[in-house]
Amino acid sequence: GQLESLFVSLMAMVGFFDENGRPKVRFKIGGVRNGGEITALFDTGFSGSLALPPQYLIAVGSELVGIEPMTYADGRTSNELLFSIKVDLDGESKSIVAHLISGAAEPIAGNQLFYPYVVLVDFMGKKLNLVRKELFDKIIEEQKRLQQ
């Protein structure tokens, strides 16, 4: 109804589940040389912004900006290389720091990258709906108003 159409009009991004049932999101990245769209695993277990395999960092011309100690879920620790990269989410471009991941074949999008969003997971429809927090709050206010 009315609330659903309001919600659809405010959605910032829509993710999807791949054939293995893993949540994914698509967005653009860029570096000093070039850019392009990537598909990344949506990983709520990763507290950083973005982790990229080397081929992605090389392709866009990302610059090394530091080294940071990292502790993994299984208790392993290592020093991670950090790179400057631009990310375009919902038409808004921002500079972030991405981790180099050498052992993974795919990009991983973490919690920090989606900080301004509320994420609704539709397991039956196999999609993720990402809505900016301030817009989500408006949806809730409208729902309360309609229920009065």
Side-chain angles (χ1 to χ4, degrees):
Q2 189 179 10
L3 185 62
E4 188 176 311
S5 62
L6 173 67
F7 181 77
V8 169
S9 71
L10 296 176
M11 272 195 301
M13 295 176 60
V14 177
F16 63 97
F17 284 78
D18 68 11
E19 62 279 354
N20 296 316
R22 298 177 327 144
K24 302 282 184 101
V25 287
R26 284 190 186 101
F27 52 89
K28 292 179 182 168
I29 62 168
V32 294
R33 278 199 303 272
N34 122 29
E37 187 174 79
I38 66 167
T39 299
L41 177 67
F42 185 87
D43 185 356
T44 59
F46 174 42
S47 60
S49 291
L50 186 61
L52 294 169
Q55 64 269 28
Y56 290 84
L57 295 164
I58 292 166
V60 299
S62 188
E63 296 180 347
L64 179 67
V65 294
I67 299 174
E68 177 179 86
M70 176 73 96
T71 302
Y72 298 97
D74 64 5
R76 289 178 300 124
T77 59
S78 74
N79 287 320
E80 297 282 320
L81 298 177
L82 304 175
F83 290 82
S84 174
I85 198 157
K86 283 193 171 70
V87 174
D88 185 1
L89 295 174
D90 187 26
E92 187 177 302
S93 185
K94 63 181 180 177
S95 293
I96 64 163
V97 172
H99 293 253
L100 166 69
I101 48 170
S102 53
E106 69 179 334
I108 299 171
N111 294 334
Q112 271 183 6
L113 188 60
F114 301 105
Y115 181 75
Y117 296 93
V118 171
V119 181
L120 303 169
V121 181
D122 179 356
F123 289 102
M124 290 180 66
K126 298 184 186 282
K127 63 183 174 183
L128 304 170
N129 297 300
L130 292 88
V131 182
R132 289 193 173 276
K133 172 76 169 115
E134 63 271 14
L135 297 178
F136 183 77
D137 290 344
K138 287 180 184 177
I139 293 168
I140 298 303
E141 287 172 24
E142 182 66 12
Q143 181 180 20
K144 287 177 184 173
R145 189 186 68 74
L146 292 172
Q147 289 175 347
Q148 290 176 351

